[in-house]
Amino acid sequence: MAQERKAKLARSEAEVKVLKEVNTIKQRALILDKDILLVKDVAALIGCSTKAVYNMINDGRIKASNLGVRQIKIKRSDIDKLLENPKFEVVPKPKNIKVVEPLKIDNCYSIPELVSKFEVTRDLLYTMFRRKNVPKIPKGREVFYSKKVVDKLLRGYKIR
């Protein structure tokens, strides 16, 4: 009984695999007939993810036209050119370097100040600041947090 079931499952899985292969072959044939492709079509044609296609568009390796929300169109000829002359050079993206001002206690809040000003609990503040990596200055038993960053984080809270 169990062996029959395993054999039946194996046959079923083999049939599904064949059907998937036939479906992908048909899908590729349909894609090959199109002159203008969608991002998902290009991904299926090249054999990569849609995110990789978007990255190639952003890098300028693939020319695309954005006709609106989710309306990116790519010429089939551009994909053929990409596949004929692939560029394998890795170009590092320039990193956005932020100029960080050194913190001074004059530009910072203490936790008691924040509790009274925003009417929130200490635990909420400590948790939020830890998660958001708010710049701080430890001074003895007290910790001071950047006013600029804290004001952005607590913008929606009620001020006393």
Side-chain angles (χ1 to χ4, degrees):
M1 187 82 157
Q3 289 178 348
E4 291 174 15
R5 185 174 179 174
K6 286 182 183 178
K8 187 176 180 180
L9 278 173
R11 275 185 269 132
S12 175
E13 288 174 358
E15 288 174 9
V16 168
K17 188 176 180 181
V18 169
L19 287 174
K20 281 184 179 180
E21 288 176 5
V22 168
N23 192 17
T24 55
I25 291 170
K26 286 180 181 178
Q27 193 176 24
R28 281 197 177 200
L30 289 173
I31 292 171
L32 291 173
D33 292 341
K34 293 181 183 178
D35 288 334
I36 297 178
L37 305 170
L38 300 171
V39 172
K40 68 177 184 177
D41 296 336
V42 173
L45 190 64
I46 295 175
C48 65
S49 67
T50 55
K51 187 173 182 178
V53 175
Y54 284 117
N55 287 339
M56 287 186 244
I57 292 169
N58 290 335
D59 293 345
R61 288 185 279 168
I62 296 177
K63 294 179 185 176
S65 300
N66 189 356
L67 304 176
V69 177
R70 296 186 182 197
Q71 293 291 320
I72 295 176
K73 306 291 182 184
I74 303 163
K75 285 185 182 178
R76 166 81 189 172
S77 58
D78 292 338
I79 300 304
D80 292 337
K81 288 177 189 175
L82 176 74
L83 295 175
E84 288 172 8
N85 300 320
K87 296 178 182 175
F88 289 109
E89 61 187 68
V90 177
V91 180
K93 287 186 175 181
K95 294 183 179 179
N96 295 338
I97 300 172
K98 294 181 182 178
V99 178
V100 179
E101 300 174 13
L103 281 179
K104 297 179 184 173
I105 293 181
D106 302 339
N107 301 340
C108 295
Y109 289 122
S110 68
I111 291 294
E113 284 177 311
L114 290 168
V115 168
S116 64
K117 182 175 181 179
F118 292 103
E119 294 182 358
V120 292
T121 64
R122 292 178 47 189
D123 292 337
L124 173 90
L125 293 171
Y126 282 124
T127 304
M128 185 184 299
F129 295 162
R130 189 176 342 104
R131 286 183 183 165
K132 299 293 184 178
N133 294 325
V134 176
K136 64 183 178 181
I137 303 173
K139 201 71 154 178
R141 296 183 102 197
E142 262 190 286
V143 180
F144 296 91
Y145 292 93
S146 168
K147 282 185 178 180
K148 187 176 180 182
V149 178
V150 169
D151 288 338
K152 279 185 184 177
L153 277 176
L154 299 176
R155 198 176 302 147
Y157 287 88
K158 182 171 66 171
I159 299 176
R160 217 188 256 181

